[in-house]
CSV table of all heavy atoms in Angstrom, one decimal:
chain,number,residue,atom,x,y,z
A,16,ALA,N,115.5,71.1,106.5
A,16,ALA,CA,116.6,71.5,107.4
A,16,ALA,C,116.0,72.3,108.5
A,16,ALA,O,116.7,72.6,109.5
A,16,ALA,CB,117.7,72.3,106.7
A,17,VAL,N,114.7,72.7,108.4
A,17,VAL,CA,114.0,73.5,109.5
A,17,VAL,C,113.4,72.6,110.5
A,17,VAL,O,112.7,71.7,110.0
A,17,VAL,CB,113.0,74.5,108.8
A,17,VAL,CG1,112.3,75.3,109.9
A,17,VAL,CG2,113.8,75.4,107.9
A,18,ARG,N,113.6,72.8,111.7
A,18,ARG,CA,112.9,71.9,112.7
A,18,ARG,C,111.5,72.4,113.0
A,18,ARG,O,111.4,73.6,113.5
A,18,ARG,CB,113.8,71.9,114.0
A,18,ARG,CG,113.3,70.9,115.1
A,18,ARG,CD,113.5,69.5,114.7
A,18,ARG,NE,113.2,68.6,115.7
A,18,ARG,CZ,114.0,68.1,116.5
A,18,ARG,NH1,115.3,68.5,116.5
A,18,ARG,NH2,113.7,67.2,117.5
A,19,LEU,N,110.6,71.7,112.7
A,19,LEU,CA,109.2,72.1,112.8
A,19,LEU,C,108.7,71.7,114.3
A,19,LEU,O,109.0,70.7,114.8
A,19,LEU,CB,108.3,71.4,111.8
A,19,LEU,CG,108.6,71.8,110.4
A,19,LEU,CD1,107.7,71.0,109.4
A,19,LEU,CD2,108.4,73.3,110.1
A,20,ARG,N,107.9,72.6,114.8
A,20,ARG,CA,107.2,72.4,116.1
A,20,ARG,C,106.0,73.3,116.1
A,20,ARG,O,106.0,74.3,115.3
A,20,ARG,CB,108.1,72.6,117.3
A,20,ARG,CG,108.7,74.0,117.4
A,20,ARG,CD,109.4,74.2,118.7
A,20,ARG,NE,110.0,75.5,118.8
A,20,ARG,CZ,109.4,76.6,119.2
A,20,ARG,NH1,108.1,76.5,119.5
A,20,ARG,NH2,110.0,77.8,119.3
A,21,PRO,N,105.0,73.2,117.0
A,21,PRO,CA,103.9,74.1,117.1
A,21,PRO,C,104.5,75.5,117.5
A,21,PRO,O,105.2,75.7,118.5
A,21,PRO,CB,103.1,73.6,118.2
A,21,PRO,CG,103.4,72.1,118.2
A,21,PRO,CD,104.8,72.0,117.9
A,22,ARG,N,104.1,76.5,116.7
A,22,ARG,CA,104.6,77.9,116.9
A,22,ARG,C,103.4,78.8,116.7
A,22,ARG,O,102.5,78.5,115.9
A,22,ARG,CB,105.7,78.3,115.9
A,22,ARG,CG,107.1,77.6,116.1
A,22,ARG,CD,108.1,78.1,115.1
A,22,ARG,NE,109.4,77.7,115.4
A,22,ARG,CZ,110.0,76.6,115.0
A,22,ARG,NH1,109.2,75.7,114.3
A,22,ARG,NH2,111.2,76.3,115.3
A,23,THR,N,103.5,79.9,117.3
A,23,THR,CA,102.5,81.0,117.0
A,23,THR,C,102.9,81.6,115.7
A,23,THR,O,104.1,81.5,115.3
A,23,THR,CB,102.5,82.1,118.1
A,23,THR,OG1,103.8,82.7,118.1
A,23,THR,CG2,102.2,81.5,119.5
A,24,PRO,N,102.0,82.4,115.0
A,24,PRO,CA,102.4,83.0,113.8
A,24,PRO,C,103.6,83.9,113.9
A,24,PRO,O,104.5,84.0,113.0
A,24,PRO,CB,101.2,83.8,113.3
A,24,PRO,CG,100.0,83.0,113.9
A,24,PRO,CD,100.6,82.5,115.2
A,25,MET,N,103.7,84.7,115.0
A,25,MET,CA,104.8,85.6,115.2
A,25,MET,C,106.1,84.8,115.4
A,25,MET,O,107.2,85.2,114.9
A,25,MET,CB,104.6,86.5,116.4
A,25,MET,CG,103.5,87.6,116.1
A,25,MET,SD,103.9,88.7,114.7
A,25,MET,CE,102.7,88.0,113.4
A,26,GLU,N,106.1,83.7,116.1
A,26,GLU,CA,107.3,82.9,116.2
A,26,GLU,C,107.7,82.3,114.9
A,26,GLU,O,108.9,82.1,114.6
A,26,GLU,CB,107.0,81.7,117.2
A,26,GLU,CG,106.9,82.1,118.7
A,26,GLU,CD,106.6,81.0,119.6
A,26,GLU,OE1,105.7,80.2,119.2
A,26,GLU,OE2,107.1,81.0,120.8
A,27,ALA,N,106.7,81.9,114.1
A,27,ALA,CA,107.0,81.4,112.8
A,27,ALA,C,107.6,82.5,111.9
A,27,ALA,O,108.5,82.1,111.1
A,27,ALA,CB,105.7,80.9,112.1
A,28,ALA,N,107.2,83.7,112.0
A,28,ALA,CA,107.8,84.8,111.3
A,28,ALA,C,109.3,85.0,111.8
A,28,ALA,O,110.2,85.2,110.9
A,28,ALA,CB,107.1,86.1,111.5
A,29,ASP,N,109.6,84.8,113.0
A,29,ASP,CA,110.9,84.8,113.5
A,29,ASP,C,111.8,83.7,112.9
A,29,ASP,O,112.9,83.9,112.6
A,29,ASP,CB,110.9,84.8,115.0
A,29,ASP,CG,112.3,84.9,115.6
A,29,ASP,OD1,112.9,86.0,115.5
A,29,ASP,OD2,112.8,83.9,116.2
A,30,LEU,N,111.1,82.5,112.8
A,30,LEU,CA,111.8,81.4,112.2
A,30,LEU,C,112.3,81.7,110.8
A,30,LEU,O,113.4,81.4,110.4
A,30,LEU,CB,110.9,80.2,112.3
A,30,LEU,CG,111.4,78.9,111.5
A,30,LEU,CD1,112.7,78.3,112.2
A,30,LEU,CD2,110.4,77.9,111.3
A,31,GLY,N,111.3,82.4,110.1
A,31,GLY,CA,111.7,82.8,108.7
A,31,GLY,C,112.8,83.8,108.6
A,31,GLY,O,113.7,83.7,107.8
A,32,VAL,N,112.9,84.7,109.6
A,32,VAL,CA,114.0,85.7,109.6
A,32,VAL,C,115.3,85.0,109.9
A,32,VAL,O,116.3,85.3,109.3
A,32,VAL,CB,113.6,86.8,110.7
A,32,VAL,CG1,114.8,87.6,111.0
A,32,VAL,CG2,112.5,87.7,110.3
A,33,ARG,N,115.2,84.0,110.8
A,33,ARG,CA,116.5,83.2,111.1
A,33,ARG,C,117.0,82.5,109.9
A,33,ARG,O,118.2,82.4,109.7
A,33,ARG,CB,116.2,82.3,112.3
A,33,ARG,CG,115.9,83.0,113.6
A,33,ARG,CD,117.1,83.8,114.1
A,33,ARG,NE,116.8,84.4,115.4
A,33,ARG,CZ,117.1,83.9,116.6
A,33,ARG,NH1,117.7,82.7,116.6
A,33,ARG,NH2,116.9,84.5,117.7
A,34,LEU,N,116.0,82.0,109.1
A,34,LEU,CA,116.4,81.3,107.9
A,34,LEU,C,117.0,82.2,106.9
A,34,LEU,O,118.0,81.9,106.2
A,34,LEU,CB,115.1,80.6,107.3
A,34,LEU,CG,115.3,79.9,105.9
A,34,LEU,CD1,116.2,78.7,106.1
A,34,LEU,CD2,113.9,79.5,105.4
Side-chain angles (χ1 to χ4, degrees):
V17 178
R18 188 68 176 265
L19 297 175
R20 63 172 177 81
R22 288 180 171 89
T23 66
M25 292 298 105
E26 287 176 325
D29 182 67
L30 173 67
V32 170
R33 295 298 182 92
L34 177 63

